[in-house]
Amino acid sequence: MNCTPKFPSPRRNLAYTQEDFHFCHLLTKTRRRVGKSCSQDQTASQRLPCKMGSVSMATPVQELATDGQDPSERYNYGGSGGGALNASVPLVEIPTVDVGRLISSPSAANHELQKLSLALSSWGCFQVVNHGMTNSFVDRVHEISKQFFDLPKEEKHRYIREPDSIEGYGTDMIVAENQTLDWIDRLYLTLNPPNHVQLKFWPEKPETFRETLQEYGVKLGELNQILLKAMAKSLDLEENCFLDQYGEGALMTARFNLYPPCPRPDQIIGVKPHADASALTFLLPDKEVGGLQFLKDNEWFTVPIIPHALLVNVGDQAEIMSNGVFKSPVHRVVTNSEKERHSLAVFCIPSAGQEIKPAEGLISETRPALYKKVKDYVSIYFEYYQRGRRPIEAAML
Ligand SMILES: O=C(O)CCC(=O)C(=O)O
Ligand SMILES: [Fe+2]
């Protein structure tokens, strides 16, 4: 095994404010115990300044966008310290990984493995092509998202999320009076493990919704395994060393995102800057409308659109497991005044009961462990968000 520290330290010197983080896809498990290895022995919800029972939800942005009124000050991200949003930031050529080659002959795979580790240690993300899903299947996934958000308001409201949960249809949870709101509506669903699936939130319309999402989840489960093995191999580690850290009952959640056209794209943000709490995130971005940006060396870069490709990024948990070799990138979504944008993010998250830690093979005298062992990182993530801190700091030694 190669333990040589080929990569620089992951610590960042960016200053974040509470408003810089969102946690919307992370709240389901806030009532679980936080891992003792992080020296915390209360449930995250006990420590919340604002209890989950008191969170509320704003009017869906889609409804605001069609009523023609000026959005309230609560959406003013620029004015609340975020600064003016410039959509015309430079385009970045994020490396493309061909999964077909990754699982073919060793020589073809080697080239892809090199691209993979380079992409993840520099950008923390890569575009995935030849991923085993046909273009027409990927189009069907795009379609169910669009068809759901196009349903009459009354139909969508059948799936509205409940106040103490994040699953279902709705907007940002409002947990603080001064919280700046994102210009986004979501449909949030758990795909795995099966006993966590709440079918009452799975739309019955369009008719193909459930089966398409189910099939997509199965395909991403396979892709998740292939990529985690490849990530390990790319660092000369035993191929299951990351996958084994998922444990029994690993979580897979899907978030359908809708960004309606926005009257003030210079001031209103689609999703505030954040890094994901997952191990891996599979994003199906809009085929035509851009808006996703990644932060590198304090500069924002726009992600180019490759139709039918998936954008995969590592989340904080893969940064921890790789001892900081792979970077969990900070990203955000900007809005535009012309076109609505859709995306579907699927988060693969180790089981809450499973302890995750830097892989042994990546720890050496010259590169000691940079992260603690953590359990239920999603709860830790939420708690740090509340304090306005970058959640991964909780896991840093
Ligand atoms: O809509 C996008 O392109 C990205 C969404 C995102 O970052 C997220 O859901 O965590
Ligand atoms: Fe994200």
XYZ file of all heavy atoms in Angstrom, residues 267-357:
701
model
N -28.847 39.416 -6.838
C -28.980 39.515 -5.379
C -29.495 38.234 -4.723
O -29.299 38.024 -3.534
C -29.978 40.644 -5.026
C -29.503 42.033 -5.376
C -28.327 42.455 -4.515
O -28.302 42.188 -3.320
N -27.331 43.089 -5.116
N -30.181 37.401 -5.509
C -30.841 36.231 -4.914
C -30.120 34.961 -5.362
O -29.806 34.808 -6.543
C -32.335 36.206 -5.337
C -33.045 37.434 -4.747
C -33.017 34.920 -4.911
C -34.511 37.568 -5.132
N -29.886 34.077 -4.412
C -29.101 32.878 -4.736
C -30.012 31.639 -4.796
O -31.031 31.564 -4.105
C -27.955 32.703 -3.703
C -26.926 31.686 -4.207
C -28.476 32.303 -2.322
C -25.549 31.880 -3.640
N -29.635 30.682 -5.661
C -30.404 29.441 -5.768
C -30.105 28.533 -4.586
O -31.009 28.066 -3.889
N -28.836 28.261 -4.366
C -28.394 27.510 -3.176
C -27.135 28.177 -2.647
O -26.177 28.398 -3.391
C -28.071 26.035 -3.507
C -27.561 25.311 -2.271
C -29.303 25.293 -4.020
N -27.149 28.468 -1.364
C -25.984 29.119 -0.744
C -24.760 28.192 -0.775
O -24.911 26.969 -0.855
C -26.313 29.467 0.715
C -27.292 30.615 0.842
C -27.468 31.040 2.283
C -28.490 30.222 3.027
N -29.879 30.411 2.607
N -23.551 28.779 -0.676
C -22.342 27.942 -0.691
C -22.378 26.898 0.425
O -22.757 27.192 1.548
C -21.216 28.961 -0.428
C -21.759 30.263 -0.892
C -23.233 30.220 -0.563
N -21.991 25.693 0.058
C -21.979 24.596 1.027
C -21.126 23.474 0.458
O -20.852 23.429 -0.744
C -23.407 24.065 1.252
C -23.969 23.411 0.020
N -24.441 24.132 -1.065
C -24.092 22.102 -0.326
C -24.834 23.305 -2.011
N -24.626 22.056 -1.598
N -20.727 22.569 1.313
C -20.162 21.294 0.860
C -21.167 20.238 1.306
O -21.933 20.464 2.247
C -18.806 21.062 1.498
N -21.203 19.099 0.643
C -22.211 18.097 0.983
C -21.754 17.221 2.157
O -20.566 16.970 2.327
C -22.497 17.209 -0.236
C -23.141 17.993 -1.387
O -23.674 19.093 -1.137
O -23.092 17.505 -2.530
N -22.728 16.728 2.917
C -22.401 15.863 4.066
C -22.246 14.403 3.660
O -21.902 13.562 4.469
C -23.495 15.964 5.113
N -22.516 14.111 2.410
C -22.491 12.729 1.917
C -21.068 12.183 1.852
O -20.085 12.888 2.149
C -23.071 12.734 0.502
O -22.318 13.639 -0.303
N -20.947 10.931 1.387
C -19.639 10.444 0.947
C -19.514 10.784 -0.541
O -18.554 11.406 -0.966
C -19.508 8.951 1.182
N -20.522 10.395 -1.314
C -20.555 10.775 -2.733
C -21.913 11.379 -3.067
O -22.937 10.912 -2.559
C -20.353 9.559 -3.641
C -18.943 9.037 -3.906
C -18.988 7.979 -5.002
C -17.979 10.146 -4.306
N -21.908 12.392 -3.917
C -23.153 12.975 -4.436
C -23.180 12.789 -5.943
O -22.189 13.081 -6.624
C -23.227 14.485 -4.120
O -23.136 14.689 -2.716
C -24.536 15.095 -4.617
N -24.315 12.289 -6.432
C -24.516 12.138 -7.882
C -25.499 13.206 -8.321
O -26.657 13.185 -7.914
C -25.103 10.755 -8.198
C -24.145 9.641 -7.907
C -24.050 9.100 -6.633
C -23.309 9.152 -8.900
C -23.148 8.082 -6.356
C -22.407 8.129 -8.631
C -22.326 7.597 -7.356
N -25.026 14.109 -9.127
C -25.894 15.200 -9.563
C -26.240 15.045 -11.038
O -25.352 14.875 -11.872
C -25.198 16.547 -9.333
C -26.090 17.735 -9.665
C -27.078 17.997 -8.530
C -25.280 18.987 -9.935
N -27.535 15.113 -11.303
C -27.980 15.177 -12.700
C -28.377 16.628 -12.929
O -29.478 17.052 -12.551
C -29.173 14.230 -12.907
C -29.682 14.104 -14.331
C -28.612 13.568 -15.271
C -30.913 13.200 -14.367
N -27.472 17.409 -13.540
C -27.803 18.830 -13.701
C -28.742 19.035 -14.886
O -28.904 18.140 -15.706
C -26.445 19.491 -14.003
C -25.421 18.399 -13.972
C -26.146 17.092 -14.067
N -29.341 20.200 -14.945
C -30.204 20.553 -16.070
C -29.415 20.385 -17.372
O -28.221 20.683 -17.430
C -30.652 22.010 -15.912
C -31.850 22.334 -16.770
O -31.692 22.377 -18.016
O -32.929 22.541 -16.212
N -30.104 19.906 -18.425
C -29.399 19.661 -19.688
C -29.093 20.945 -20.446
O -28.275 20.966 -21.351
C -30.276 18.782 -20.595
C -30.079 17.309 -20.357
C -30.717 16.485 -21.464
C -32.230 16.645 -21.489
N -32.899 15.832 -22.511
N -29.835 22.021 -20.104
C -29.655 23.254 -20.878
C -29.281 24.467 -20.043
O -28.626 25.379 -20.538
C -30.956 23.586 -21.623
C -31.172 22.688 -22.817
C -32.622 22.616 -23.222
O -33.408 23.482 -22.804
O -32.945 21.672 -23.957
N -29.725 24.500 -18.817
C -29.549 25.728 -18.022
C -28.471 25.505 -16.962
O -28.579 24.602 -16.135
C -30.890 26.128 -17.356
C -30.751 27.469 -16.643
C -32.000 26.182 -18.396
N -27.443 26.348 -17.023
C -26.348 26.243 -16.056
C -26.671 27.004 -14.782
O -27.780 27.500 -14.589
N -25.703 27.110 -13.916
C -25.900 27.855 -12.665
C -25.059 27.301 -11.522
O -24.809 27.970 -10.528
N -24.582 26.046 -11.685
C -23.780 25.437 -10.619
C -22.342 25.954 -10.694
O -21.748 25.995 -11.772
C -23.802 23.918 -10.781
C -22.953 23.105 -9.804
C -23.401 23.304 -8.356
C -23.018 21.615 -10.158
N -21.822 26.354 -9.550
C -20.444 26.875 -9.491
C -19.678 26.198 -8.357
O -20.241 25.898 -7.305
C -20.464 28.387 -9.250
C -21.210 29.162 -10.326
C -21.213 30.665 -10.066
O -20.856 31.125 -8.987
N -21.633 31.421 -11.059
N -18.397 25.980 -8.595
C -17.516 25.410 -7.569
C -16.477 26.435 -7.149
O -16.009 27.226 -7.977
C -16.815 24.153 -8.102
C -17.679 22.942 -8.016
C -18.667 22.717 -8.956
C -17.538 22.027 -6.985
C -19.499 21.606 -8.876
C -18.361 20.909 -6.899
C -19.334 20.706 -7.843
N -16.107 26.382 -5.878
C -15.103 27.308 -5.344
C -13.745 26.617 -5.328
O -13.616 25.497 -4.837
C -15.497 27.685 -3.908
C -14.691 28.769 -3.219
C -14.920 30.129 -3.888
C -15.077 28.872 -1.738
N -12.757 27.306 -5.904
C -11.381 26.781 -5.824
C -10.454 27.953 -5.617
O -10.541 28.944 -6.356
C -11.040 26.019 -7.106
C -9.721 25.263 -7.007
C -9.642 24.288 -8.163
C -8.375 23.505 -8.302
N -7.296 23.698 -7.404
N -9.565 27.840 -4.653
C -8.636 28.917 -4.322
C -9.364 30.262 -4.237
O -8.929 31.266 -4.818
C -7.515 28.986 -5.369
C -6.775 27.663 -5.471
O -6.685 26.967 -4.429
O -6.345 27.302 -6.575
N -10.485 30.259 -3.540
C -11.262 31.483 -3.309
C -11.880 32.099 -4.549
O -12.269 33.263 -4.533
C -10.418 32.549 -2.602
C -10.515 32.407 -1.107
O -11.445 31.769 -0.612
N -9.572 32.998 -0.401
N -11.973 31.340 -5.620
C -12.570 31.861 -6.845
C -13.690 30.911 -7.289
O -13.558 29.687 -7.171
C -11.494 31.902 -7.940
C -11.576 33.152 -8.793
C -10.662 33.027 -10.005
O -9.468 32.705 -9.829
O -11.165 33.218 -11.100
N -14.771 31.488 -7.803
C -15.884 30.650 -8.283
C -15.690 30.288 -9.750
O -15.253 31.124 -10.547
C -17.209 31.403 -8.119
C -17.628 31.504 -6.682
C -17.578 32.625 -5.904
C -18.128 30.459 -5.851
N -18.022 32.341 -4.639
C -18.372 31.017 -4.578
C -18.407 29.097 -6.046
C -18.876 30.270 -3.506
C -18.902 28.357 -4.981
C -19.134 28.943 -3.728
N -16.038 29.043 -10.084
C -15.952 28.554 -11.465
C -17.285 27.905 -11.849
O -17.876 27.182 -11.039
C -14.843 27.498 -11.599
C -13.472 28.061 -11.406
C -12.909 28.120 -10.137
C -12.743 28.541 -12.483
C -11.638 28.644 -9.944
C -11.467 29.066 -12.306
C -10.912 29.115 -11.033
N -17.699 28.143 -13.071
C -18.949 27.562 -13.570
C -18.717 26.153 -14.114
O -17.725 25.915 -14.802
C -19.501 28.439 -14.711
O -19.865 29.691 -14.147
C -20.714 27.833 -15.379
N -19.650 25.261 -13.812
C -19.548 23.891 -14.323
C -20.194 23.826 -15.710
O -21.355 24.190 -15.870
C -20.292 22.923 -13.370
C -20.277 21.501 -13.916
C -19.665 22.981 -11.987
N -19.455 23.359 -16.725
C -20.054 23.245 -18.054
C -21.068 22.110 -18.106
O -20.984 21.164 -17.326
C -18.852 22.947 -18.967
C -17.815 22.395 -18.070
C -18.078 22.860 -16.671
N -22.001 22.222 -19.035
C -23.030 21.185 -19.154
C -22.590 20.138 -20.174
O -22.227 20.474 -21.297
C -24.367 21.813 -19.612
C -24.871 22.782 -18.542
C -25.400 20.734 -19.925
C -26.076 23.599 -18.962
N -22.587 18.878 -19.757
C -22.389 17.780 -20.709
C -23.685 16.968 -20.670
O -23.950 16.275 -19.679
C -21.200 16.867 -20.320
C -19.919 17.687 -20.143
C -21.008 15.761 -21.347
C -18.692 16.835 -19.810
N -24.536 17.098 -21.713
C -25.834 16.420 -21.652
C -25.671 14.915 -21.390
O -24.767 14.289 -21.934
C -26.439 16.664 -23.042
C -25.729 17.882 -23.552
C -24.335 17.828 -22.972
N -26.493 14.392 -20.525
C -26.536 12.968 -20.139
C -25.369 12.506 -19.259
O -25.312 11.347 -18.875
C -26.654 12.049 -21.366
C -27.859 12.362 -22.194
N -27.778 12.926 -23.445
C -29.173 12.235 -21.924
C -28.999 13.129 -23.919
N -29.867 12.720 -23.016
N -24.442 13.388 -18.974
C -23.368 13.012 -18.027
C -23.875 13.254 -16.608
O -24.818 14.029 -16.394
C -22.131 13.858 -18.291
N -23.254 12.597 -15.652
C -23.552 12.881 -14.242
C -22.365 13.628 -13.665
O -21.221 13.344 -14.020
C -23.708 11.581 -13.454
C -24.859 10.664 -13.809
C -24.756 9.376 -12.990
C -26.181 11.357 -13.516
N -22.649 14.541 -12.773
C -21.556 15.202 -12.085
C -21.454 14.552 -10.702
O -22.441 14.522 -9.966
C -21.847 16.698 -11.949
C -20.692 17.438 -11.301
C -19.684 17.842 -12.372
C -21.166 18.670 -10.569
N -20.286 14.019 -10.409
C -20.113 13.357 -9.109
C -19.159 14.197 -8.267
O -18.097 14.590 -8.746
C -19.534 11.935 -9.292
C -19.281 11.269 -7.952
C -20.490 11.085 -10.111
N -19.580 14.492 -7.047
C -18.623 15.173 -6.167
C -18.485 14.413 -4.853
O -19.401 13.706 -4.440
C -18.984 16.648 -5.905
C -20.240 16.863 -5.107
O -21.326 16.979 -5.674
N -20.113 16.900 -3.798
N -17.311 14.508 -4.255
C -17.164 13.885 -2.941
C -17.771 14.831 -1.918
O -17.780 16.049 -2.085
C -15.702 13.537 -2.556
C -15.095 12.539 -3.504
C -14.842 14.750 -2.438
N -18.328 14.231 -0.875
C -18.840 15.008 0.242
C -17.842 14.926 1.392
O -16.790 14.268 1.283
N -18.189 15.572 2.487
C -17.276 15.627 3.631
C -16.845 14.235 4.111
O -15.710 14.046 4.565
C -17.941 16.360 4.805
C -18.077 17.861 4.549
O -17.559 18.340 3.518
O -18.711 18.547 5.382
N -17.759 13.257 4.021
C -17.406 11.939 4.577
C -16.324 11.234 3.762
O -15.513 10.496 4.307
C -18.658 11.079 4.720
C -19.660 11.752 5.652
C -20.648 10.812 6.287
O -20.289 9.790 6.839
N -21.909 11.172 6.235
N -16.284 11.497 2.454
C -15.199 10.899 1.658
C -13.900 11.677 1.892
O -12.809 11.112 1.802
C -15.562 10.881 0.182
N -14.026 12.966 2.195
C -12.809 13.719 2.546
C -12.199 13.121 3.817
O -10.984 12.914 3.903
C -13.136 15.213 2.744
C -11.923 16.029 3.175
C -12.104 17.537 3.094
O -12.729 18.039 2.144
O -11.581 18.219 4.012
N -13.044 12.803 4.783
C -12.551 12.217 6.042
C -11.926 10.838 5.768
O -10.803 10.555 6.174
C -13.704 12.093 7.073
C -14.199 13.487 7.468
C -13.254 11.288 8.301
C -15.493 13.503 8.264
N -12.654 9.984 5.041
C -12.163 8.617 4.800
C -10.851 8.626 4.019
O -10.027 7.739 4.156
C -13.226 7.808 4.042
C -14.498 7.608 4.850
S -15.613 6.356 4.175
C -16.398 7.160 2.843
N -10.665 9.643 3.177
C -9.433 9.686 2.365
C -8.349 10.511 3.075
O -7.344 10.860 2.464
C -9.730 10.288 0.990
O -10.011 11.676 1.111
N -8.574 10.809 4.341
C -7.627 11.612 5.125
C -7.270 12.922 4.399
O -6.126 13.366 4.399
C -6.358 10.810 5.435
C -5.597 11.394 6.628
O -6.185 12.109 7.458
N -4.296 11.127 6.713
N -8.265 13.498 3.773
C -8.070 14.815 3.163
C -7.463 14.796 1.772
O -7.257 15.849 1.173
N -7.189 13.599 1.252
C -6.634 13.536 -0.106
C -7.695 13.995 -1.100
O -7.424 14.786 -2.006
C -6.159 12.104 -0.429
C -5.772 11.988 -1.900
C -4.988 11.721 0.468
N -8.914 13.493 -0.918
C -10.015 13.943 -1.764
C -10.693 15.131 -1.093
O -10.956 15.103 0.101
C -11.032 12.809 -1.984
C -10.464 11.616 -2.709
C -10.922 10.331 -2.429
C -9.484 11.764 -3.692
C -10.415 9.232 -3.098
C -8.963 10.664 -4.367
C -9.428 9.394 -4.067
N -11.004 16.134 -1.888
C -11.557 17.376 -1.335
C -13.074 17.434 -1.493
O -13.580 17.197 -2.579
C -10.969 18.583 -2.093
C -9.450 18.623 -2.139
C -8.891 18.996 -0.776
C -7.397 19.149 -0.791
N -6.666 17.879 -0.800
N -13.744 17.752 -0.423
C -15.187 17.952 -0.498
C -15.411 19.410 -0.926
O -15.196 20.331 -0.136
C -15.797 17.680 0.879
O -17.138 18.058 0.925
N -15.815 19.624 -2.167
C -15.787 20.992 -2.686
C -16.961 21.852 -2.221
O -18.084 21.369 -2.086
C -15.869 20.773 -4.203
C -16.606 19.492 -4.360
C -16.309 18.647 -3.156
N -16.670 23.131 -1.998
C -17.730 24.095 -1.697
C -18.353 24.495 -3.036
O -17.642 24.778 -3.992
C -17.156 25.324 -0.956
C -18.213 26.418 -0.810
C -16.636 24.903 0.417
N -19.666 24.472 -3.098
C -20.354 24.834 -4.335
C -21.620 25.620 -4.026
O -22.094 25.638 -2.884
C -20.641 23.592 -5.190
C -21.323 22.467 -4.460
N -20.678 21.675 -3.535
C -22.587 22.005 -4.508
C -21.516 20.767 -3.055
N -22.688 20.959 -3.623
N -22.165 26.270 -5.061
C -23.381 27.064 -4.904
C -24.113 27.061 -6.239
O -23.552 26.653 -7.265
C -23.038 28.503 -4.494
C -22.357 29.290 -5.598
C -22.040 30.739 -5.183
N -21.505 31.497 -6.310
C -21.088 32.744 -6.231
N -21.120 33.388 -5.081
N -20.646 33.369 -7.319
N -25.349 27.533 -6.223
C -26.093 27.640 -7.478
C -26.603 29.066 -7.609
O -27.211 29.605 -6.670
C -27.289 26.645 -7.514
C -28.052 26.776 -8.831
C -26.798 25.208 -7.334
N -26.321 29.677 -8.757
C -26.846 31.027 -9.004
C -28.097 30.910 -9.882
O -28.310 29.917 -10.561
C -25.786 31.958 -9.660
C -24.605 32.182 -8.732
C -25.314 31.404 -11.006
N -28.918 31.960 -9.824
C -30.194 31.933 -10.548
C -30.079 32.746 -11.842
O -29.068 33.417 -12.069
C -31.305 32.550 -9.670
O -30.883 33.857 -9.281
C -31.555 31.713 -8.448
N -31.098 32.672 -12.660
C -31.154 33.542 -13.840
C -32.596 33.996 -14.035
O -33.525 33.388 -13.496
C -30.608 32.820 -15.081
C -31.604 31.867 -15.653
O -32.497 32.249 -16.417
N -31.518 30.595 -15.256
N -32.771 35.080 -14.808
C -34.116 35.666 -14.892
C -34.952 35.075 -16.032
O -36.127 35.377 -16.160
C -34.004 37.180 -15.074
O -33.232 37.436 -16.232
N -34.333 34.240 -16.859
C -35.011 33.794 -18.073
C -35.656 32.411 -17.965
O -36.782 32.207 -18.368
C -33.993 33.700 -19.234
C -33.200 34.966 -19.497
C -34.072 36.025 -20.136
O -34.826 35.642 -21.036
O -34.019 37.189 -19.697
N -34.871 31.472 -17.466
C -35.296 30.071 -17.593
C -35.305 29.368 -16.252
O -34.420 29.609 -15.426
C -34.296 29.321 -18.478
C -34.316 29.782 -19.908
C -33.412 28.920 -20.733
C -33.513 29.315 -22.188
N -32.358 28.930 -22.951
N -36.260 28.434 -16.096
C -36.198 27.642 -14.864
C -35.116 26.573 -15.045
O -34.761 26.186 -16.156
C -37.562 27.024 -14.533
C -38.036 25.950 -15.453
C -39.377 25.365 -14.997
O -40.146 26.029 -14.284
O -39.640 24.204 -15.387
N -34.587 26.134 -13.917
C -33.532 25.123 -13.952
C -33.945 23.961 -13.044
O -34.487 24.185 -11.959
C -32.209 25.729 -13.464
C -31.068 24.744 -13.357
C -29.744 25.431 -13.020
N -28.669 24.453 -13.033
C -28.304 23.736 -11.988
N -28.892 23.900 -10.827
N -27.322 22.850 -12.100
N -33.671 22.747 -13.530
C -33.947 21.548 -12.727
C -32.639 20.827 -12.433
O -31.731 20.828 -13.270
C -34.812 20.554 -13.510
C -36.215 21.019 -13.726
N -37.256 20.577 -12.959
C -36.734 21.898 -14.605
C -38.366 21.155 -13.362
N -38.085 21.979 -14.375
N -32.558 20.178 -11.310
C -31.443 19.260 -11.083
C -31.921 18.179 -10.115
O -32.920 18.368 -9.416
C -30.219 19.987 -10.512
O -30.455 20.374 -9.181
N -31.217 17.073 -10.116
C -31.532 16.000 -9.171
C -30.228 15.576 -8.498
O -29.291 15.134 -9.167
C -32.162 14.816 -9.926
C -32.314 13.508 -9.137
C -33.145 13.703 -7.878
C -32.971 12.430 -10.008
N -30.181 15.774 -7.194
C -28.987 15.371 -6.446
C -29.325 14.111 -5.655
O -30.340 14.061 -4.969
C -28.561 16.485 -5.495
N -28.475 13.101 -5.772
C -28.649 11.879 -4.962
C -27.424 11.751 -4.060
O -26.279 11.781 -4.531
C -28.829 10.633 -5.851
C -28.833 9.367 -5.005
C -30.133 10.731 -6.641
N -27.698 11.648 -2.764
C -26.619 11.611 -1.772
C -26.429 10.194 -1.245
O -27.398 9.564 -0.804
C -26.967 12.542 -0.592
C -27.266 13.955 -1.015
C -28.575 14.389 -1.154
C -26.249 14.842 -1.303
C -28.861 15.685 -1.558
C -26.521 16.140 -1.715
C -27.827 16.563 -1.843
N -25.207 9.694 -1.293
C -24.887 8.376 -0.725
C -24.149 8.606 0.582
O -23.078 9.245 0.596
C -24.043 7.567 -1.704
S -24.958 7.170 -3.189
N -24.731 8.108 1.649
C -24.293 8.476 3.004
C -24.060 7.221 3.838
O -24.968 6.377 3.938
C -25.391 9.354 3.677
C -25.691 10.586 2.801
C -25.011 9.763 5.087
C -26.918 11.365 3.229
N -22.887 7.079 4.454
C -22.676 5.909 5.324
C -23.742 5.823 6.416
O -24.278 6.850 6.852
C -21.293 6.163 5.931
C -20.607 7.026 4.930
C -21.690 7.901 4.343
N -24.003 4.613 6.844
C -24.995 4.402 7.896
C -24.636 5.226 9.141
O -23.466 5.349 9.506
C -24.997 2.910 8.210
O -25.392 2.688 9.514
N -25.681 5.757 9.813
C -25.431 6.625 10.971
C -24.740 5.865 12.102
O -24.021 6.448 12.906
C -26.740 7.220 11.461
N -24.964 4.555 12.153
C -24.370 3.776 13.240
C -22.927 3.392 12.973
O -22.254 2.785 13.819
N -22.458 3.692 11.821
C -21.127 3.246 11.393
C -20.083 4.328 11.708
O -20.287 5.500 11.412
C -21.193 3.012 9.875
C -19.919 2.618 9.216
C -19.609 1.141 9.410
O -20.489 0.361 9.770
N -18.367 0.780 9.184
N -18.981 3.884 12.295
C -17.901 4.852 12.550
C -17.110 5.032 11.255
O -16.737 4.045 10.633
C -17.010 4.279 13.634
C -16.063 5.287 14.217
C -15.459 4.726 15.496
O -14.685 3.754 15.405
O -15.765 5.261 16.569
N -16.878 6.255 10.848
C -16.022 6.458 9.678
C -14.720 7.130 10.119
O -14.691 7.881 11.087
C -16.710 7.263 8.556
C -17.070 8.679 9.030
C -17.936 6.572 8.018
C -17.042 9.664 7.913
N -13.663 6.847 9.386
C -12.340 7.370 9.787
C -11.393 7.336 8.596
O -11.643 6.647 7.607
C -11.775 6.547 10.929
C -11.674 5.054 10.624
C -11.069 4.354 11.818
C -10.596 2.962 11.500
N -11.502 1.894 11.406
